Amino acid sequence: MSSNFLFELGTEELPPKSLLSLSEALAASVQQQLKALGLKFESFDSFASPRRLAFLVKQLDEHTPVSEVENFGPPAKVAFDKDGNATKAALAFCQRNGVSIDEVSVASDGKVEKLVCKVTKGGELSSELLPGIVESALAELPIAKRMRWGSSRTEFVRPVQWLVFMQDDQVLNCSLLGKTAGNTTRGHRFHSSGTIVIDDITNYKQILREQGKVIANYAERRRLIKQQVEAVANNLNGRAVIDDDLLNEVSALVEWPVALGGSFDKEFLSVPPEALISSMKEHQKYFHVVDNDGQLLPSFITVSNIESDDYSAIVNGNEKVIRPRLADAAFFFATDLKQSLENRRSKLKTVVFQAKLGSIFDKSERIKALASYIADKLGTDGSASVRAAELCKSDLVSAMVYEFPEMQGIAGYHYALNDGETKEVALAIDEHYLPKFAGDKLPSSRAGAIVALADRLDTITGIFGIGQHPTGSKDPFALRRASVSVLRLIVELELELDLADLVKFAASQFNDLSKIESVVEDVLSYVLERFKAWYEEAGIDAEVFLAVNEKQLSAPLDIHRRVLAVSEFAKGSDAEALAAANKRVANILSKLDKQPQGEINEALLTEAAEKQLWENMSALQAKLQALFMAKKYSEALAQLSTLRPFVDQFFEDVMVMADNEQLRQNRLNLLRLLRTSFLEVADISLLAVKR
């Protein structure tokens, strides 16, 4: 037997940026609990709109699965006294399991004879379990701050107004969050009045749409909005730029979406488009429109929550609202152009970066020095990098960035061009904030990459230098993100840089930073630790990174190349045997009081297997050294893999720890050479090769 269940929680308008996550968390928790109880269902449909969270479960099992299990109790020798009467332990066991003493028997649990009884588990009604399941799911929702309303002590993200909880056509007898379950819902705040009776829960979505003017399914509403926005943009002879975050937010703001196009004065297009887009997107939740070349058009698209016979009033109202906001952006831009970035630098002295690390001006000076150092290490002209580093923070004290913080860097780009700076310098000022988030693009210019790297290394080193290391729950300076950015900049842009060297120089820029060596070690360890998650996401086994990390290297690009090479090597047919052989050699050498240092004496190679191994190893040495110098690690490991049969035969036929000291030392020298050759790339003895 199975039934359909509908749950709907009606509230005041839910936070639009949280609606989707709340709905997904509710659905995931309920389904997880149902599956844990063994309750099967045909389908689970989730619904979310500005004033409701709901789900519909179709064909849910009426009962939890019934099963008979054996419960063991106390040992038989303590369950009965000498007269054969049940002891307190036996009676307690019976009471716990709801059986009489006559219903228990004695059996072995595999170790000792114990009391045992068979009990039936399961069979609970799903209709009785669901209220508790939903209550638990609601309590676990990711709500940053819960609120109370009225005189009630009930807490939720927003005040609860109604509750629907039904099994087929029957209302469940339950209460949640201060509301008693019923069979009535509410429709659109403006297009519907009064309550709507749900007479068929399988038609819940259609009832709300037809009687309440509410599109309850979030994904459906999102698709409709996207289609409407694209159609309106096409009518405006442009293309709508649909940002996922904005689309999600708008989908959470409306129940009955109607996309409308509006326009603004062309004169505003003289303002940096990013400022106009920010104003439209952040303040008004508008989608902007571009032409075929990607240039901003003087048009916008808003999504109304009202259906009307005449939308002109809505469009006119939105145009009136956006005009002063764009006028503000134009005013800020025009005002900022009157003062150069160079002249603004002095104002940075009053802006604190961190109390112990000085002002933003001080930071820009350190970035400039570090950018120059990095450029020298890369063997590139650092003039553009140094100039960009000098000016990269000046737009922070501009009116534009004060009003639109997301314009930092972008504003600096436009102001630099206005000041007569080169395009390379202007672009580096903009790009030094890249990447801004996981998966974001990297700087396209070498100068931008250098300043981006210098900025982050200065922050990480300074914060570590004053002892404010990030913890598992606190990372106020976003050092994890900064560290990943450092690795991405170096690896993906193929910058041949030594991180330890850069951090040491960065630390030297702070006047009173003590224990520089310790700071360098801590920063290096912390940044390189981010590689673990990087490779985990790439599907590379942790042992591969550990094998490379054992060499204690500090050049990220070199580390990355080795990891890729070892990862590829680990997939080969020879990897398991060679990894085991290296581990065996490492164990042998680790037990010696003194490590072998001598050369191989060919005259002492008495066994055929050791002669073959030496001949093949010596033949490879020149080629291997060339490959190591060229950092062609994959090719080097491929060459070393050819030794596999000779290594196997050596351990099969040769007694390493021979009684003759000269033979023993010569063989140990041979193993040391083998081990050293592999260690040039990584310690492959740490690989746990899976077959």
Side-chain angles (χ1 to χ4, degrees), residues 574 578 612-613 640-650:
D574 298 318
L578 288 171
Q612 285 186 318
L613 179 58
L640 285 167
S641 293
T642 63
L643 296 174
R644 186 263 176 94
F646 309 109
V647 173
D648 289 347
Q649 198 64 46
F650 176 88

Side-chain angles (χ1 to χ4, degrees), residues 296-523:
L296 184 66
L297 292 175
S299 302
F300 64 86
I301 300 172
T302 183
V303 180
S304 172
N305 193 32
I306 298 175
E307 191 175 72
S308 173
D309 293 330
D310 182 10
Y311 292 107
S312 60
I314 299 175
V315 172
N316 291 337
N318 279 276
E319 289 177 344
K320 286 180 180 179
V321 170
I322 195 62
R323 191 174 297 116
R325 291 198 175 276
L326 299 185
D328 286 345
F331 173 77
F332 296 141
F333 183 60
T335 301
D336 288 341
L337 291 179
K338 296 175 182 178
Q339 190 174 11
S340 68
L341 291 175
E342 177 68 44
N343 290 336
R344 291 183 188 278
R345 284 201 75 214
S346 60
K347 294 182 180 180
L348 295 175
K349 294 178 181 180
T350 63
V351 182
V352 177
F353 166 59
Q354 203 281 338
K356 295 181 180 179
L357 300 177
S359 66
I360 296 293
F361 179 88
D362 299 327
K363 180 175 177 62
S364 69
E365 287 290 289
R366 296 193 300 267
I367 295 173
K368 181 172 71 170
L370 186 50
S372 177
Y373 187 78
I374 293 173
D376 287 343
K377 289 294 180 181
L378 292 173
T380 188
D381 180 10
S383 56
S385 303
V386 171
R387 181 58 174 167
E390 191 173 28
L391 301 176
C392 68
K393 303 299 181 183
S394 294
D395 65 350
L396 294 179
V397 289
S398 67
M400 178 69 81
V401 174
Y402 182 82
E403 181 68 18
F404 304 104
E406 63 276 8
M407 285 293 292
Q408 57 186 335
I410 300 170
Y413 167 82
H414 292 282
Y415 299 155
L417 292 179
N418 181 72
D419 296 344
E421 302 290 346
T422 66
K423 181 68 178 289
E424 188 178 9
V425 169
L427 186 60
I429 291 173
D430 180 13
E431 292 188 330
H432 92 280
Y433 286 105
L434 299 177
K436 296 179 180 179
F437 50 84
D440 191 21
K441 62 183 179 180
L442 296 177
S444 62
S445 65
R446 177 55 62 95
I450 290 173
V451 181
L453 190 56
D455 186 17
R456 287 163 175 81
L457 286 174
D458 174 79
T459 297
I460 299 169
T461 305
I463 299 302
F464 266 81
I466 59 174
Q468 293 194 16
H469 300 193
T471 63
S473 60
K474 293 183 179 180
D475 186 13
F477 287 88
L479 299 191
R480 289 185 187 84
R481 186 170 68 227
S483 298
V484 173
S485 295
V486 166
L487 294 178
R488 285 194 62 200
L489 287 163
I490 294 177
V491 171
E492 294 182 30
L493 297 179
E494 298 188 343
L495 305 180
E496 299 282 359
L497 294 168
D498 187 303
L499 193 55
D501 177 52
L502 299 185
V503 175
K504 188 173 183 178
F505 182 87
S508 71
Q509 298 301 298
F510 296 92
N511 296 327
D512 55 352
L513 205 63
S514 59
K515 301 180 180 178
I516 288 182
E517 293 302 323
S518 174
V519 171
V520 172
E521 185 178 329
D522 289 347
V523 171

Side-chain angles (χ1 to χ4, degrees), residues 186 218 363 617:
R186 301 180 194 177
Y218 182 94
K363 180 175 177 62
M617 284 178 60

Side-chain angles (χ1 to χ4, degrees), residues 3 21 44 46 64 95 106 121 303 312 337 459 507 542 633:
S3 304
S21 61
F44 189 103
S46 185
T64 57
Q95 186 177 8
V106 176
K121 287 193 173 184
V303 180
S312 60
L337 291 179
T459 297
Y633 303 118

Side-chain angles (χ1 to χ4, degrees), residues 139-156:
E140 296 171 358
L141 288 182
I143 300 173
K145 189 174 183 180
R146 295 172 183 262
M147 64 181 294
R148 295 177 183 172
W149 56 95
S151 59
S152 171
R153 297 187 65 82
T154 302
E155 293 183 346
F156 196 56

